[in-house]
Amino acid sequence: MSQVKQHKIDLAESEMPTRWYNVLHDLPTPPPPPLHPGTGQPIGPDDLAPLFPMDLIMQEVSTDQYVDIPEEVLDVYRLWRPSPLFRAHRLEKALGTPARIYYKYEGVSPAGSHKPNTAVPQAYYNAKAGIKKLTTETGAGQWGTSLAFACAQFDLECEVWQVRASYDQKPYRRLMIETFGGVVHPSPSPLTAAGQKILAEHPDSPGSLGIAISEAVEVAAQDPTINYSLGSVLNHVLMHQTIIGEETLLQLAKIGETADLLVGCTGGGSNFGGLMFPFLREKWAGRMNPDVIAVEPAACPSLTQGTYAYDFGDTAGMTPLLKMHTLGHDFIPDPIHSGGLRYHGMSPLISHLYETGEIGAVAKQQNECFAAGVLFARTEGIVPAPEPTHALAVTIEEALRCKESGEEKVIVTALCGHGHLDLPAYGAYLSGSVTDTGWEDETLKAAVAEALTKLPALA
Amino acid sequence: MSQVKQHKIDLAESEMPTRWYNVLHDLPTPPPPPLHPGTGQPIGPDDLAPLFPMDLIMQEVSTDQYVDIPEEVLDVYRLWRPSPLFRAHRLEKALGTPARIYYKYEGVSPAGSHKPNTAVPQAYYNAKAGIKKLTTETGAGQWGTSLAFACAQFDLECEVWQVRASYDQKPYRRLMIETFGGVVHPSPSPLTAAGQKILAEHPDSPGSLGIAISEAVEVAAQDPTINYSLGSVLNHVLMHQTIIGEETLLQLAKIGETADLLVGCTGGGSNFGGLMFPFLREKWAGRMNPDVIAVEPAACPSLTQGTYAYDFGDTAGMTPLLKMHTLGHDFIPDPIHSGGLRYHGMSPLISHLYETGEIGAVAKQQNECFAAGVLFARTEGIVPAPEPTHALAVTIEEALRCKESGEEKVIVTALCGHGHLDLPAYGAYLSGSVTDTGWEDETLKAAVAEALTKLPALA
């Protein structure tokens, strides 16, 4: 038996998928439509025209199974795609698990996460439609960075409202957006009516994605040369992310593996949907039968604790009404370190899949997620963003269950970004100052602590 | 003609080189030996034994042409290696140059730079020799991060003295070292006699690599279970880095290209030597004839302004005397943002090659380097560390010369790390608060500003 372990399953640029997958084509039952906030009737393409270019609107409502990726977009994708799929040999060894753990790593992108997968086509279609500027919201800052980079590729201006909690916690993100040429405001800001209203009531508001969306939408709606761009939640956004899952299927096929369990974190749902939708297609076609689990933060548990109802996507109530799992559009989550998961709602597509039993969901506290992140960093050499440590925590739990049962399960997890700009969060964790509210699971932390003492076994 | 441009020239893990190249075997003339600081005689292996394991000492003095890389080291290398070689299509287009620009990107490593290439074997050989802890210095923090990661792989403790200028400017680096399990002190520190002496004279000392080396060496020399680890300068360190150049040769051969010009930045010289030595071997064998240029910061110009003389590697005078280009072992450079280039000396091997005319050198000011870095980020999607922006500045100048002459030169540059943890430096540049002393070249900044206005042409 060879001692040589392959860590990375690579695809050549020439093997990169050239079309996105539209899960709407294959859903066992159709999801409820978005409703107009004024009339309560299903919205049409014209209702979205003030904010989005027609190409994206048609993608939002399309039921075609695949959409070709424009060559201009593929050329930018190739700066970092296909992204690597890793076998986590050293993490497995530290855990002593018979499970085979794979992680699809999106941190190789310009922004350091999966977000450019949709930022680039959104910028492209807007530029093609003659738009001059895009506005957007950002939480942890990944999305704002991604859109700033994408706008630089297609000669668009980029203006970003960043949730104040993250703006204050993560100054490096703002500097990265500016390095790529974007402009950043903390949200709530005095620049919009929506922001002014919040500030009048809560001058110290930490902000939320819902508020930041209201601000960015307000500015875009007032000028025909300005459009708005959303980094998650919507159908077309999740569709752009399916290149993650399509690549992963090709990579697993290369080494003859089939996923038994897929785990991803969920904020708005785009990283999760991007990995899972192509696997669900394969499941519905009877070609494989993986379990699929969404992991959300205990401080913002829209799937596990929210209601499934029509709600606004933003705080001020400017967006169409979406049928989704929601904590209420005026919910402001604690300023946890996973800024990208602080969203009151959940993508209607993911909500529909959860409601129909196609996927499961669990919620995790911060400290157990950071424990998983530190173990992962010391074994695999990548410091994960706080968001995907939620998926890593569940992955590690499942791998430890396999250790007890002896099951050689194939687990695939979405490592949607690196944590280079989240190091103060790790500093807070290492110094013991990260606080969780409510229940806290000590089991995982103990198991991780034990694995950390076994690192010598790696040598 | 196909519209499809290949951005990345990848190697499979199975194509990764399995031996390091030792330039000492092929040097046209041998370099002067290190001298014992007490006797003035050439040092022998026993003189180095208090600090280094015998495997590394023998590599330091070996004249074998190649050294096999242990499988335990290859297994860790494969977490990120082979690293990608990129063709900078979008930068070329922004510059309008007929030159073909390639960059070898080491930012995919756990630390985000080339440094783990030597940290991993150093930790491995020390662990093999029964050592329990490694001490070291770090400037920008790349080296400390790399050694902390490497120590985690082989069950070693890791204690790092970080130059205070960088410790204060770049807190994220300390947090990353701690996430990997290392311990960090700002240098000069009150923990050592060397640090105490400096602090007594200069309580506000910004520190220097020379001082930090003295502190780390002092602690290691006092305990037989503790060794010292150096991140650059020494022969064995540069040898470990030659995997960069060996991979680059294979990657260029894959696409039928031959380098006309190679450009790298130099602090202690390890990134530079790592890329260049294998190419110099090919040159001496008559198989190619590239020009090779070292780029150093104007604030610490050891090659272009230093003297070629025997000097200490550290400030307190505890190391052997090395024949090198030096600004004097008590030289404390301005706290420029490129912390990794703030070293008073230069690798004896690089100094010897410069003295014998095998390589050229130029010095660059900070602002023109950051201008190059911003253009690179907006076109290629990678925010470079401040150190390799020195090489990018010269690469861009040469590409602009090619635009005038029409020459289709093949330029290969060493992009030795990303700048995710250096974003405050970019913030300072973008806000106009980076200051240069002495001359400043406005030509490059004007050319870069013009290229930035042409980004629409990329769309």
Side-chain angles (χ1 to χ4, degrees):
Chain A
M1 195 185 98
S2 169
Q3 287 291 318
V4 175
K5 292 173 180 167
Q6 185 181 359
H7 290 286
K8 302 179 294 296
I9 300 98
D10 287 324
L11 292 178
E13 289 183 13
S14 58
E15 297 173 291
M16 187 170 79
T18 56
R19 53 190 195 170
W20 296 300
Y21 168 59
N22 182 6
V23 76
L24 274 169
H25 179 272
D26 295 322
L27 283 177
T29 57
L35 303 180
H36 191 284
T39 66
Q41 296 300 309
I43 58 166
D46 289 349
D47 294 316
L48 298 170
L51 294 182
F52 301 107
M54 201 45 69
D55 281 335
L56 291 177
I57 292 170
M58 296 320 291
Q59 288 181 6
E60 185 67 19
V61 298
S62 168
T63 54
D64 293 347
Q65 189 172 20
Y66 294 98
V67 173
D68 286 335
I69 307 174
E71 176 50 37
E72 292 86 344
V73 172
L74 289 171
D75 186 62
V76 183
Y77 274 0
R78 280 190 292 264
L79 286 175
W80 73 94
R81 301 207 75 85
S83 71
L85 178 73
F86 284 84
R87 168 85 184 270
H89 287 294
R90 298 173 85 83
L91 175 62
E92 291 170 21
K93 193 165 180 182
L95 295 171
T97 179
R100 298 196 290 284
I101 303 172
Y102 294 89
Y103 53 98
K104 177 68 167 172
Y105 184 43
E106 292 292 310
V108 294
S109 85
S113 78
H114 63 293
K115 293 286 187 182
N117 296 333
T118 185
V120 172
Q122 289 195 45
Y124 167 73
Y125 289 118
N126 274 289
K128 195 175 151 218
I131 293 300
K132 300 301 176 198
K133 182 198 274 195
L134 292 180
T135 65
T136 198
E137 79 292 338
T138 198
Q142 285 283 5
W143 171 241
T145 309
S146 303
L147 196 67
F149 161 74
C151 284
Q153 306 315 302
F154 298 105
D155 191 28
L156 293 171
E157 290 179 67
C158 180
E159 195 167 1
V160 180
W161 276 262
Q162 183 173 23
V163 176
R164 180 173 282 283
S166 291
Y167 184 92
D168 291 340
Q169 274 176 8
K170 304 181 179 181
Y172 282 40
R173 271 286 161 207
R174 171 178 61 77
L175 296 169
M176 196 163 182
I177 294 171
E178 291 171 354
T179 300
F180 282 135
V183 172
V184 193
H185 314 291
S187 169
S189 80
L191 302 170
T192 66
Q196 288 163 11
K197 183 164 178 292
I198 300 281
L199 287 173
E201 294 166 17
H202 306 285
D204 295 329
S205 168
S208 70
L209 281 171
I211 297 170
I213 293 172
S214 294
E215 296 201 87
V217 165
E218 181 183 323
V219 169
Q222 289 166 0
D223 186 330
T225 69
I226 304 178
N227 265 351
Y228 166 72
S229 187
L230 189 67
S232 191
V233 177
L234 299 180
N235 298 354
H236 69 275
V237 176
L238 273 62
M239 185 183 75
H240 297 157
Q241 295 292 354
T242 58
I243 192 164
I244 300 173
E246 296 289 12
E247 286 181 2
T248 306
L249 281 168
L250 293 174
Q251 286 163 314
L252 288 173
K254 269 201 173 184
I255 53 169
E257 288 278 40
T258 306
D260 297 309
L261 173 64
L262 295 146
V263 186
C265 65
T266 44
S270 75
N271 152 66
F272 183 83
L275 177 62
M276 306 309 173
F277 289 174
F279 281 86
L280 289 172
R281 176 192 64 213
E282 298 302 302
K283 181 178 181 174
W284 295 326
R287 288 187 284 265
M288 55 182 70
N289 192 27
D291 290 323
V292 179
I293 299 180
V295 190
E296 57 187 13
C300 194
S302 55
L303 282 175
T304 56
Q305 302 286 327
T307 54
Y308 186 50
Y310 274 101
D311 194 8
F312 293 106
D314 70 324
T315 299
M318 302 174 71
T319 70
L321 287 161
L322 303 172
K323 185 76 180 278
M324 59 183 179
H325 286 81
T326 175
L327 298 159
H329 64 274
D330 54 357
F331 178 79
I332 298 193
D334 287 345
I336 55 169
H337 292 285
S338 294
L341 306 184
R342 293 179 71 245
Y343 184 61
H344 68 273
M346 178 55 59
S347 152
L349 284 174
I350 306 292
S351 296
H352 180 68
L353 288 167
Y354 181 64
E355 200 63 19
T356 55
E358 299 286 342
I359 63 172
V362 295
K364 283 286 167 195
Q365 296 279 12
Q366 295 193 86
N367 275 300
E368 50 182 341
C369 296
F370 278 117
V374 168
L375 177 62
F376 188 85
R378 291 188 192 172
T379 51
E380 294 293 318
I382 296 171
V383 179
E387 290 83 354
T389 64
H390 288 72
L392 288 174
V394 170
T395 297
I396 288 171
E397 279 182 334
E398 190 66 27
L400 291 170
R401 259 179 230 123
C402 289
K403 185 181 180 179
E404 286 184 18
S405 68
E407 201 181 352
E408 295 184 11
K409 200 173 265 195
V410 174
I411 307 173
V412 179
T413 188
L415 187 64
C416 58
H418 63 65
H420 298 164
L421 305 193
D422 304 286
L423 284 161
Y426 279 88
Y429 167 71
L430 291 170
S431 68
S433 64
V434 168
T435 52
D436 285 316
T437 51
W439 56 270
E440 191 168 329
D441 184 351
E442 297 293 334
T443 318
L444 180 65
K445 284 195 284 179
V448 165
E450 189 192 339
L452 282 173
T453 67
K454 290 186 184 157
L455 290 186
L458 295 174
Chain B
M1 194 185 96
S2 169
Q3 287 289 317
V4 175
K5 292 174 181 166
Q6 185 181 359
H7 290 286
K8 302 180 293 296
I9 300 99
D10 288 323
L11 292 178
E13 288 183 13
S14 57
E15 297 173 291
M16 189 170 77
T18 57
R19 53 189 195 171
W20 296 299
Y21 168 60
N22 182 5
V23 75
L24 274 168
H25 178 272
D26 295 323
L27 284 176
T29 58
L35 303 181
H36 192 285
T39 66
Q41 296 299 308
I43 58 166
D46 289 348
D47 294 316
L48 298 171
L51 295 182
F52 302 107
M54 200 46 68
D55 281 335
L56 290 177
I57 293 170
M58 296 320 291
Q59 287 181 6
E60 184 67 18
V61 299
S62 166
T63 54
D64 294 347
Q65 190 172 20
Y66 295 98
V67 173
D68 286 336
I69 307 174
E71 176 52 36
E72 293 86 344
V73 173
L74 289 171
D75 186 62
V76 184
Y77 275 0
R78 281 190 290 263
L79 287 175
W80 73 94
R81 303 208 72 86
S83 71
L85 179 73
F86 284 84
R87 168 86 185 268
H89 287 293
R90 300 174 83 82
L91 174 62
E92 291 170 20
K93 193 165 179 183
L95 295 171
T97 179
R100 298 196 290 284
I101 303 173
Y102 294 88
Y103 54 98
K104 177 68 167 171
Y105 184 44
E106 293 293 310
V108 292
S109 85
S113 77
H114 64 293
K115 295 286 188 183
N117 296 333
T118 185
V120 172
Q122 289 194 46
Y124 166 74
Y125 289 117
N126 274 289
K128 195 175 151 216
I131 293 299
K132 300 301 175 198
K133 182 198 273 195
L134 292 179
T135 64
T136 198
E137 79 292 339
T138 199
Q142 286 281 5
W143 172 241
T145 309
S146 303
L147 196 67
F149 161 74
C151 285
Q153 306 315 303
F154 299 105
D155 191 28
L156 293 171
E157 291 179 67
C158 181
E159 195 168 1
V160 180
W161 277 262
Q162 183 174 24
V163 176
R164 179 173 281 283
S166 291
Y167 184 92
D168 291 339
Q169 273 176 9
K170 303 180 179 181
Y172 282 40
R173 271 285 160 205
R174 171 178 62 77
L175 296 169
M176 196 163 183
I177 294 170
E178 291 170 356
T179 299
F180 282 134
V183 172
V184 192
H185 313 291
S187 169
S189 80
L191 303 170
T192 67
Q196 289 162 10
K197 182 164 179 289
I198 300 281
L199 287 173
E201 295 168 18
H202 306 284
D204 296 328
S205 168
S208 70
L209 281 171
I211 296 170
I213 293 172
S214 293
E215 297 200 86
V217 166
E218 182 183 321
V219 169
Q222 290 167 359
D223 186 329
T225 70
I226 304 178
N227 265 352
Y228 166 72
S229 187
L230 189 67
S232 190
V233 177
L234 298 179
N235 298 354
H236 69 274
V237 177
L238 274 61
M239 186 184 75
H240 296 158
Q241 294 292 355
T242 57
I243 193 165
I244 301 173
E246 296 289 12
E247 286 181 1
T248 307
L249 281 168
L250 293 174
Q251 287 163 313
L252 289 173
K254 270 202 173 184
I255 51 169
E257 288 277 39
T258 306
D260 297 310
L261 172 65
L262 295 146
V263 187
C265 65
T266 44
S270 75
N271 152 65
F272 182 83
L275 177 63
M276 308 307 173
F277 289 173
F279 281 87
L280 289 172
R281 176 193 65 215
E282 298 302 301
K283 180 179 181 174
W284 294 327
R287 289 188 283 264
M288 56 182 68
N289 193 27
D291 290 323
V292 178
I293 298 180
V295 191
E296 57 187 13
C300 194
S302 55
L303 282 174
T304 56
Q305 302 286 326
T307 55
Y308 186 51
Y310 274 102
D311 195 8
F312 293 107
D314 70 324
T315 300
M318 303 175 71
T319 71
L321 288 160
L322 303 172
K323 184 77 179 279
M324 59 183 179
H325 286 81
T326 175
L327 297 158
H329 64 273
D330 54 357
F331 178 80
I332 298 191
D334 287 344
I336 55 169
H337 292 285
S338 295
L341 307 184
R342 293 180 70 244
Y343 184 59
H344 68 274
M346 177 55 58
S347 153
L349 284 174
I350 305 292
S351 296
H352 180 68
L353 288 166
Y354 181 63
E355 201 64 18
T356 55
E358 299 286 342
I359 62 172
V362 296
K364 284 284 169 197
Q365 297 278 13
Q366 296 193 86
N367 275 301
E368 49 182 342
C369 295
F370 278 118
V374 168
L375 177 62
F376 188 85
R378 292 189 191 171
T379 51
E380 295 293 317
I382 297 170
V383 179
E387 290 83 354
T389 63
H390 289 72
L392 288 174
V394 170
T395 297
I396 289 171
E397 279 182 334
E398 191 65 27
L400 291 170
R401 258 180 230 122
C402 289
K403 184 181 180 179
E404 285 185 18
S405 68
E407 202 181 352
E408 295 183 10
K409 199 174 269 195
V410 174
I411 307 174
V412 179
T413 188
L415 188 64
C416 58
H418 63 64
H420 299 164
L421 305 192
D422 304 286
L423 283 162
Y426 279 88
Y429 167 71
L430 291 169
S431 67
S433 64
V434 169
T435 52
D436 285 316
T437 50
W439 55 269
E440 194 170 324
D441 185 349
E442 296 293 335
T443 317
L444 180 65
K445 285 195 284 180
V448 165
E450 189 192 337
L452 282 172
T453 66
K454 289 185 183 156
L455 290 186
L458 294 174

